Amino acid sequence: MEKIEKSEFKLIGLKLDHKTTNEGGQSSIDCGNLWQKFETENFAESIPDKLGDEIYAVYYEYEGDYTKPFSYFIGCKVKIDAGVPQGMDNLVIPTGSFTKVLSKGKMPDCVANSWKDIWNSDTDRAYKYDFEIYNERSKDWSNAEVEIFVSNN
C-alpha cells in the first residue's frame, strides 16, 4: 500500500439512484446492475471531453464506516468545465490523500477480496471518496489489475 496525493478531478457518468450497503451482499447487486447499465448502453462512448479511457467506480457519501449505507458512481474523467449530457450525472472528487492498493487476479473476486483486506486493515480511512480505476490492465478478467484509492484522514 502506497500513500499518494491526488488533485481535484471531475467525472461524468451514472450515479446509483439510491444508497446501497454491504449488508447481505446488497452492494454487489446494486453496483453490478449499475455496471451492467453503464456497459450495455455504452455510456462511456457518450461522455464528452474525456481525458482518457479509464472508468472510475466511486464510493462516497458514507453514512459511517463500510458497514453503513453509501452512494456509488461510475464514470470517466473529464475536463473540469465539461458539460453533463442529459441522463447522466457528474461528480467532483476533491484534492486529497489516498492509500493506493493494487488488486490483482480473477475478476470480480480480486476486487472484492481487496476490499475485505482494506476493511480488516488498520488503514486510516476518511470515508470520503474511495475509488477504483479500470483500464487496459483490467480488461482480462482472468488476470486483471485494478487500482483502488482509499481516502485517508
Side-chain angles (χ1 to χ4, degrees):
M1 291 194 225
E2 162 190 9
K3 291 213 183 226
I4 60 168
E5 296 293 317
K6 284 248 183 221
S7 297
E8 175 182 277
F9 61 93
K10 179 178 179 177
L11 302 171
I12 291 179
L14 297 179
K15 176 183 177 180
L16 195 60
D17 62 3
H18 60 280
K19 286 196 172 181
T20 188
T21 176
N22 291 316
E23 195 171 311
Q26 189 61 48
S27 64
S28 293
I29 296 164
D30 292 339
C31 299
N33 288 341
L34 191 65
W35 267 105
Q36 188 168 10
K37 178 178 174 132
F38 188 83
E39 294 286 329
T40 58
E41 296 181 29
N42 292 320
F43 276 92
E45 317 299 312
S46 309
I47 296 172
D49 299 319
K50 281 196 300 190
L51 297 175
D53 291 326
E54 296 90 2
I55 297 174
Y56 288 70
V58 185
Y59 307 82
Y60 64 108
E61 293 178 344
Y62 288 95
E63 291 183 10
D65 66 12
Y66 67 91
T67 64
K68 306 292 184 212
F70 58 90
S71 294
Y72 188 70
F73 184 96
I74 301 170
C76 297
K77 191 174 180 179
V78 297
K79 295 177 183 173
I80 205 74
D81 61 351
V84 182
Q86 190 170 349
M88 290 195 209
D89 300 290
N90 76 96
L91 182 66
V92 175
I93 310 294
T95 298
S97 175
F98 297 87
T99 297
K100 179 180 167 184
V101 176
L102 185 60
S103 180
K104 291 181 175 184
K106 187 177 188 302
M107 286 286 289
D109 302 343
C110 65
V111 173
N113 291 336
S114 290
W115 277 110
K116 287 175 188 164
D117 291 344
I118 291 164
W119 297 340
N120 293 315
S121 74
D122 58 0
T123 301
D124 183 24
R125 294 193 59 193
Y127 291 99
K128 290 180 182 166
Y129 294 87
D130 301 329
F131 56 93
E132 303 154 355
I133 300 177
Y134 296 86
N135 57 27
E136 284 302 315
R137 296 181 319 194
S138 47
K139 291 205 185 307
D140 177 0
W141 274 46
S142 60
N143 186 26
E145 284 187 21
V146 177
E147 294 176 337
I148 301 174
F149 293 84
V150 181
S151 57
N152 299 130
N153 285 315

